[in-house]
């Protein structure tokens, strides 16, 4: 389990200071190239701003820069964290939901395969299981039991007040 708290980044995200948060995360990635937490947080920030940026308060961001950063972080992660269940899960989720990465169909399939891999690595993890099974909306009815299993671990799994933690707490609460 990753502790998602990054006090300075969480504060900046909550203040809508997207560019400052992004800069800190870029520095953390450069200073800690083998720590997936920072790459996941940076990728999620870029993805979220691309998906929801038009509805958010705060400073304006350059969409082209976000796409470039997201592509770079994704590429680096695929090369270096392809066996890390947290990277596979979060990036698989993002890619599956809104694939800002190129060819929609091939990236959507890639996202699903990443969700499957995270689930196969940790089959008893309710977050990974729910995300993977939920990627098949026509074949998997999201059961109350599965959702309750996810809800039982939300506060523990998504500590902190940053965008990533708040997003998953909000969608699964």
């Amino acid at each position: 389990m990753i502790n998602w708290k990054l006090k300075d980044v969480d504060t900046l995200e909550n203040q809508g200071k997207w560019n400052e948060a992004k800069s800190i995360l870029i520095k953390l990635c450069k200073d800690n190239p083998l720590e997936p937490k920072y790459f996941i947080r940076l990728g999620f920030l870029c993805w979220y701003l691309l998906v929801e940026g038009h509805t958010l308060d705060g400073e304006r961001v350059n969409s082209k820069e976000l796409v470039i950063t997201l592509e770079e972080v994704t590429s680096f992660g695929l090369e270096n964290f392809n066996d890390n269940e947290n990277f596979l899960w979060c990036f698989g989720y993002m890619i599956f939901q809104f694939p800002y990465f190129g060819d929609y169909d091939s990236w959507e399939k890639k996202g699903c395969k990443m969700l499957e891999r995270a689930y196969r690595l940790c089959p008893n993890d309710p977050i990974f299981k729910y995300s993977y099974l939920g990627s098949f909306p026509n074949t998997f009815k999201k059961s109350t039991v599965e959702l309750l299993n996810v809800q039982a671990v939300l506060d523990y799994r998504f500590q902190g007040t940053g965008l990533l933690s708040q997003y998953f707490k909000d969608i699964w609460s």
Side-chain angles (χ1 to χ4, degrees):
M1 190 214 56
I2 290 180
N3 179 346
W4 297 109
K5 287 185 210 173
L6 290 173
K7 186 178 178 189
D8 294 340
V9 175
D10 290 356
T11 300
L12 291 168
E13 288 178 347
N14 286 306
Q15 294 172 349
K17 295 181 179 179
W18 315 120
N19 293 308
E20 288 179 64
K22 183 177 147 227
S23 293
I24 289 173
L25 287 167
I26 288 171
K27 181 172 180 359
L28 286 168
C29 289
K30 287 180 181 175
D31 293 347
N32 304 280
L34 299 178
E35 178 52 59
K37 171 182 176 173
Y38 304 125
F39 290 87
I40 294 168
R41 285 287 307 260
L42 177 57
F44 186 85
L45 174 64
C46 293
W47 176 83
Y48 188 83
L49 291 173
L50 287 166
V51 172
E52 298 288 343
H54 63 285
T55 66
L56 299 174
D57 294 330
E59 63 190 7
R60 301 197 42 79
V61 291
N62 182 321
S63 294
K64 289 181 183 178
E65 284 181 17
L66 292 175
V67 169
I68 290 168
T69 302
L70 182 57
E71 288 173 349
E72 289 172 352
V73 169
T74 303
S75 178
F76 183 86
L78 289 170
E79 290 175 22
N80 295 281
F81 307 127
N82 205 24
D83 289 326
N84 180 283
E85 64 276 3
N86 289 295
F87 173 83
L88 292 164
W89 162 73
C90 193
F91 274 76
Y93 177 90
M94 293 186 301
I95 291 168
F96 180 76
Q97 293 295 318
F98 296 100
Y100 278 98
F101 304 84
D103 177 58
Y104 185 90
D105 289 334
S106 66
W107 277 99
E108 183 182 43
K109 288 175 187 167
K110 184 170 197 63
C112 188
K113 288 195 181 297
M114 292 169 74
L115 290 171
E116 178 183 14
R117 179 129 167 81
Y119 169 63
R120 299 284 180 227
L121 288 169
C122 300
N124 295 321
D125 185 292
I127 301 289
F128 299 158
K129 181 178 182 180
Y130 193 73
S131 298
Y132 171 61
L133 296 176
S135 69
F136 299 101
N138 296 329
T139 59
F140 174 69
K141 183 178 178 188
K142 293 181 181 178
S143 74
T144 303
V145 173
E146 295 297 338
L147 182 56
L148 289 174
N149 290 339
V150 167
Q151 290 173 342
V153 300
L154 283 179
D155 287 336
Y156 173 72
R157 287 290 294 277
F158 297 104
Q159 298 173 18
T161 60
L163 283 179
L164 184 141
S165 293
Q166 286 307 124
Y167 175 84
F168 288 104
K169 287 180 191 176
D170 288 348
I171 65 166
W172 289 330
S173 290

